[in-house]
Amino acid sequence: MLKHKNKIAVVGGGSWATANIKMLTDNITEKEIFWWMRNEEAVQHIHKFGHNPHYLSSVEIKVPAQNISTDLKSLIQVADYILLNVPAAFLKEALQGITPADLKGKKIVSAIKGIVPDENKIIGEFLNENYDVPFDHILVISGPCHAEEVALEKLSYLTIASQNTQLAAEFAGMLSTRYIKTIVSDDIYGTEYGAVLKNVYAIASGICHGVGYGDNFQSVLISNAIRELERFVDKVHPIDRDIKESAYLGDLLVTAYSQFSRNRTFGNMIGKGYTVKSAQLEMNMIAEGYYAVNCLHQVNRQYGVDMPICEAVYAILYKKSPPVIEMQKLAEKLS
């Protein structure tokens, strides 16, 4: 009997989506890859030249031209796995016209690392409640992994989480390559919230740098950040997890320290006195932590976890509190 060949539709046209396309096509497991992008010009450019014109343009795209399209519904119809890779703030817009019936029986993978604004839900919850996707059909990709380093084929580790660990292992097998190692986890809440929170902490890290704090303070900030992250995920979803694993601590470290971290870059600009709008315009990329800190502020009203770093970032970005003053106040609370 012929073994079923999995069909995977990647949704999104940014750098992380492009990196996911590269991993999936470099992996040797037999499968068929489809790619949805909103931008028709980008699709035409890839058809013609085999490169994403806007993101990671060094990556050779090995997806057949007929499998790259701006028609999401048609790609979802043929796919077994749908890998969501648009910023959380634009997820609803991307899924416009898609119904729970369209997603019935599909396995949905989130590579988003954000919270859906207005709903204040992590992606798994949003899919479960709005599209009736059962939790054992939901997977989360997390881990310390910058798209730019994937493009350079530098050794990276990804954690694939699902309540259905067999499914997570199957998908992990379709992602691993010579330069990508995969780890399987059953903690979709912790890995999703961890991925959201580390973006906020990376903004805090950038702000500190922008206002003139050095590496000594930065290390104290990040050691407090991992404890704050642990307090929050343990309250939201109390299971036995080791916060020192790479999906949590590793992801926090790379996002807080790396030159490739757009959240850190964004925070640095805010610390140097840029407005939110001017920083966003200059970066021309989405810093997920900007939206996430507002959502987390709302979510934490329910849980009441002590989160001084998140609150300081929230005050700077949403209450227009001066970064220097907020960081001085925060410094008094850290240990």
Side-chain angles (χ1 to χ4, degrees):
M1 200 174 84
L2 279 176
K3 193 175 179 294
H4 173 71
K5 185 162 77 167
N6 276 303
K7 295 180 165 65
I8 304 169
V10 177
V11 178
S15 50
W16 189 223
T18 308
N20 282 172
I21 288 282
K22 176 176 168 59
M23 291 180 240
L24 287 164
T25 52
D26 284 355
N27 168 281
I28 57 169
T29 313
E30 218 188 321
K31 58 186 134 15
E32 193 171 2
I33 310 298
F34 298 83
W35 194 3
W36 175 85
M37 302 173 97
R38 180 194 311 282
N39 186 328
E40 181 60 53
E41 278 172 29
V43 170
Q44 292 311 322
H45 185 97
I46 296 170
H47 284 174
K48 227 179 193 169
F49 304 108
H51 296 273
N52 186 339
H54 303 300
Y55 300 96
L56 302 191
S57 47
S58 65
V59 169
E60 182 194 345
I61 305 299
K62 294 180 278 192
V63 176
Q66 71 272 18
N67 286 14
I68 306 172
S69 161
T70 56
D71 178 4
L72 183 57
K73 217 174 175 81
S74 67
L75 296 189
I76 283 177
Q77 265 168 357
V78 296
D80 303 298
Y81 283 88
I82 296 148
L83 199 167
L84 298 174
N85 219 318
V86 291
F90 305 132
L91 179 61
K92 282 178 164 176
E93 202 182 313
L95 294 178
Q96 232 171 1
I98 302 300
T99 65
D102 293 323
L103 299 184
K104 197 169 172 53
K106 311 284 183 188
K107 287 110 177 179
I108 317 284
V109 188
S110 167
I112 290 178
K113 301 192 173 189
I115 296 185
V116 182
D118 310 329
E119 309 267 341
N120 295 330
K121 289 173 192 155
I122 48 174
I123 310 305
E125 279 182 322
F126 173 75
L127 293 169
N128 176 259
E129 291 173 29
N130 296 53
Y131 288 91
D132 303 330
V133 181
F135 274 110
D136 62 358
H137 275 195
I138 293 169
L139 301 96
V140 175
I141 298 180
S142 67
C145 197
H146 281 304
E148 293 80 358
E149 290 201 353
V150 172
L152 297 166
E153 298 188 358
K154 289 191 179 290
L155 183 62
S156 305
Y157 291 67
L158 286 174
T159 296
I160 317 300
S162 176
Q163 289 180 0
N164 179 345
T165 49
Q166 206 179 332
L167 190 64
E170 180 185 45
F171 193 74
M174 295 189 278
L175 269 185
S176 55
T177 63
R178 174 175 60 74
Y179 55 89
I180 297 289
K181 294 198 180 300
T182 53
I183 301 154
V184 171
S185 162
D186 63 354
D187 182 18
I188 63 168
Y189 279 89
T191 51
E192 275 225 71
Y193 269 120
V196 170
L197 281 158
K198 54 96 195 189
N199 285 333
V200 177
Y201 301 137
I203 291 178
S205 176
I207 292 171
C208 290
H209 189 262
V211 298
Y213 287 91
D215 293 347
N216 294 347
F217 179 74
Q218 197 104 111
S219 65
V220 173
L221 176 79
I222 297 310
S223 74
N224 277 266
I226 193 66
R227 284 175 271 159
E228 187 170 304
L229 189 155
E230 184 172 31
R231 283 197 299 273
F232 185 79
V233 295
D234 283 355
K235 186 72 185 264
V236 171
H237 191 59
I239 62 166
D240 185 25
R241 62 169 69 82
D242 182 357
I243 213 73
K244 297 185 296 297
E245 285 176 2
S246 59
Y248 317 100
L249 179 59
D251 205 3
L252 171 64
L253 292 174
V254 79
T255 314
Y257 289 114
S258 172
Q259 58 174 349
F260 294 126
S261 167
R262 58 187 76 169
N263 287 282
R264 184 191 157 93
T265 303
F266 175 75
N268 192 28
M269 291 165 85
I270 298 296
K272 285 187 173 6
Y274 280 73
T275 63
V276 166
K277 201 157 191 68
S278 58
Q280 285 172 329
L281 283 169
E282 184 149 326
M283 280 176 64
N284 193 27
M285 277 181 159
I286 295 291
E288 283 275 22
Y290 169 69
Y291 300 101
V293 74
N294 185 32
C295 299
L296 285 161
H297 178 75
Q298 318 294 336
V299 171
N300 197 34
R301 284 182 178 157
Q302 180 188 340
Y303 296 106
V305 179
D306 179 33
M307 301 182 80
I309 304 173
C310 277
E311 286 311 312
V313 174
Y314 175 78
I316 292 165
L317 298 181
Y318 287 88
K319 293 181 177 169
K320 302 203 170 29
S321 186
V324 176
I325 290 170
E326 280 304 322
M327 285 301 141
Q328 282 169 351
K329 288 198 301 206
L330 179 62
E332 294 305 313
K333 296 174 189 167
L334 301 182
S335 60

